[in-house]
Amino acid sequence: MVAAGTVRDVEENPRSETARCLQTPLCHPTRGSRRGLRHVENWIEIRGARANNLKGIDVRFPVGRLSVITGISGSGKSTLMHEVIWPAVRDQLKQRKRAGNGDLFKLVSGTQEIEAVYEVDQSPIGKTSRSTPGTYIKVFDEIRNLYAQLPVSRVRGYSASRFSFNAEGGRCETCKGQGSIKLEMNFLPSSYVPCEDCEGRRYNPQTLEVLYNEKSIGDVMEMTIEEAAQFFSAHPKIARPLSLLVDTGLGYLKLGQPSPTLSGGEAQRLKLVTQLKRGVSRAADEQIRKMRKPGSTLYLLEEPTIGLHMADIELLLNVLHRLVDEGNTVIVIEHNLSVIAEADYIVDLGPEAGEAGGEVVACGTPERVARNRLSRTAPFLRKVLNSSPTKTALSS
């Protein structure tokens, strides 16, 4: 326990990360200014959206910017994203022609600069213990290659597959490389216990004899992501993806932690890091980057701040900004004011929920939406923006 008591008691504790966030709340925009909208060349436009409670609305989102869809619960945000934007852009990319869906919308346009659309949801990244953070971001392939190049491995004829817990030869055959044994219980849910032969390390003794800096592949699997990033600091292909995970606040996860044990928010951030990793790989090839202008990928996220601490939200904002800085387009459904206040562009739905919602109440920069008298979001957003030490009016 770091701190307990009243809010003032917590704020006075110098060891508390919560105290730091309470004492020095984020100043919006965190980077001093927003990306301008005046010079946006392309906008994704959807006309006549009328799924569920949407009342034939016309909406548009700037390409290459961070947009946030706001509004009270039931105002139509999820319907707009999942039943209109996602299928509209997806189908447009497949057909590459201007077409409408008579049931959901009349027309979608402005997707000529979009090369892919990706829903970053909170669904699990794997259903078995064979899936881990290391395997999901594909850094484990590089780790196996490194162990296969060690002198002991070459003498013994070990290939990279020897260090896979999914393949015969190097894994523990008692637990089939899962590190645990499933116990079937009559009238009770099945339970899992650590494998007695490998003690949960997934590999057989011969494989664990191969050491890199006095650590076996089994030891590496037990490292946290932050520890592994430092351990492999001399190997950029391994360290860079792991450092991205640390930057998003996931450094506490174990590299070999079974994916089913991850929360929805952790899974979502892993997916975001995978996209950042692809961006780093593209940027590394300078020649290709000079030869052609890459298209913008459209990322759709719904309430990625659920379950996050204030410090984690700050890290998440850095990830979202980084995606946009790389030329991508990000649209987020969010209630968290820290994310809303960081948007380059807001579409506020409402004014109420259900039949009393489904209309565009306000749109524009956070400063512009905060001045709208009909918006239910505006009063709260106005407080956040007014509490910022820098109240500079930003161009729209």
Side-chain angles (χ1 to χ4, degrees):
M1 180 186 297
V2 177
T6 65
V7 173
R8 178 170 293 183
D9 292 335
V10 173
E11 287 181 333
E12 292 176 351
N13 191 311
R15 296 175 54 235
S16 171
E17 186 71 6
T18 302
R20 179 189 70 81
C21 295
L22 291 173
Q23 292 171 354
T24 57
L26 290 177
C27 170
H28 301 287
T30 57
R31 309 196 311 176
S33 63
R34 304 188 196 282
R35 303 172 187 87
L37 299 175
R38 290 178 178 173
H39 302 293
V40 173
E41 296 180 0
N42 295 285
W43 293 71
I44 299 172
E45 297 190 48
I46 298 176
R47 300 177 187 175
R50 53 184 175 275
N52 290 339
N53 68 330
L54 298 181
K55 296 179 173 59
I57 62 174
D58 298 338
V59 292
R60 66 175 192 159
F61 300 91
V63 173
R65 297 293 186 269
L66 172 61
S67 298
V68 178
I69 303 174
T70 61
I72 66 174
S73 297
S75 58
K77 302 184 300 298
S78 296
T79 295
L80 177 60
M81 175 175 284
H82 301 300
E83 297 188 34
V84 177
I85 298 174
W86 160 249
V89 177
R90 179 196 60 200
D91 294 345
Q92 183 82 356
L93 294 178
K94 288 181 179 180
Q95 299 173 9
R96 284 297 175 189
K97 65 181 180 180
R98 297 191 176 187
N101 184 314
D103 297 329
L104 301 179
F105 56 90
K106 293 180 181 178
L107 179 70
V108 58
S109 62
T111 60
Q112 59 270 21
E113 294 298 325
I114 302 296
E115 65 177 10
V117 57
Y118 186 55
E119 261 191 317
V120 189
D121 58 20
Q122 296 194 4
S123 60
I125 60 173
K127 297 182 179 180
T128 70
S129 60
R130 299 189 184 281
S131 173
T132 69
T135 59
Y136 186 79
I137 64 170
K138 301 191 183 303
V139 73
F140 194 56
D141 294 341
E142 298 295 336
I143 294 175
R144 293 192 296 111
N145 289 334
L146 172 62
Y147 272 84
Q149 294 169 8
L150 297 175
V152 175
S153 296
R154 292 186 174 184
V155 169
R156 296 183 179 182
Y158 291 169
S159 65
S161 62
R162 175 83 191 195
F163 301 94
S164 170
F165 51 80
N166 291 323
E168 295 182 3
R171 70 183 184 185
C172 170
E173 290 302 325
T174 302
C175 63
K176 304 298 181 183
Q178 297 196 59
S180 59
I181 303 295
K182 182 178 180 180
L183 297 180
E184 299 288 351
M185 309 284 287
N186 291 330
F187 310 111
L188 291 173
S190 299
S191 62
Y192 292 84
V193 296
C195 174
E196 293 183 357
D197 286 358
C198 68
E199 298 180 342
R201 302 179 76 188
R202 297 176 181 256
Y203 296 93
N204 59 35
Q206 293 75 24
T207 304
L208 295 174
E209 289 173 357
V210 181
L211 303 180
Y212 171 73
N213 286 348
E214 300 183 356
K215 298 291 183 181
S216 70
I217 189 75
D219 296 327
V220 169
M221 295 289 288
E222 287 298 310
M223 290 181 180
T224 65
I225 290 172
E226 186 171 10
E227 291 171 343
Q230 296 174 353
F231 184 73
F232 293 109
S233 59
H235 300 274
K237 289 185 177 180
I238 301 174
R240 284 174 185 166
L242 295 178
S243 296
L244 287 175
L245 289 174
V246 174
D247 291 343
T248 57
L250 295 177
Y252 60 89
L253 295 178
K254 286 188 177 182
L255 195 62
Q257 185 170 334
S259 294
T261 66
L262 302 181
S263 69
E266 290 167 341
Q268 189 174 42
R269 280 184 284 169
L270 269 172
K271 294 175 184 179
L272 284 173
V273 168
T274 301
Q275 299 304 312
L276 283 175
K277 178 173 174 281
R278 292 175 182 174
V280 169
S281 299
R282 289 195 298 264
D285 196 333
E286 189 70 18
Q287 188 63 31
I288 293 179
R289 190 170 65 86
K290 289 181 178 179
M291 289 175 59
R292 70 178 184 88
K293 180 182 178 181
S296 177
T297 297
L298 172 61
Y299 293 101
L300 306 175
L301 297 89
E302 181 167 7
E303 298 193 69
T305 61
I306 291 178
L308 296 188
H309 185 273
M310 291 173 283
D312 294 324
I313 291 174
E314 187 174 356
L315 296 174
L316 174 66
L317 288 171
N318 292 334
V319 174
L320 297 179
H321 280 308
R322 185 165 178 174
L323 281 171
V324 178
D325 288 341
E326 292 178 356
N328 299 302
T329 304
V330 178
I331 302 177
V332 184
I333 293 175
E334 193 54 77
H335 290 106
N336 187 283
L337 288 168
S338 291
V339 177
I340 297 172
E342 280 297 299
D344 300 315
Y345 187 78
I346 293 175
V347 172
D348 189 55
L349 299 183
E352 303 297 333
E355 288 300 317
E359 299 181 13
V360 177
V361 177
C363 59
T365 63
E367 289 76 15
R368 181 176 179 180
V369 171
R371 293 193 296 266
N372 189 289
R373 295 185 178 182
L374 298 178
S375 169
R376 296 287 297 273
T377 305
F380 304 96
L381 180 57
R382 193 158 53 242
K383 286 183 180 179
V384 172
L385 296 176
N386 287 341
S387 65
S388 171
T390 57
K391 300 179 184 178
T392 305
L394 299 165
S395 63
S396 59

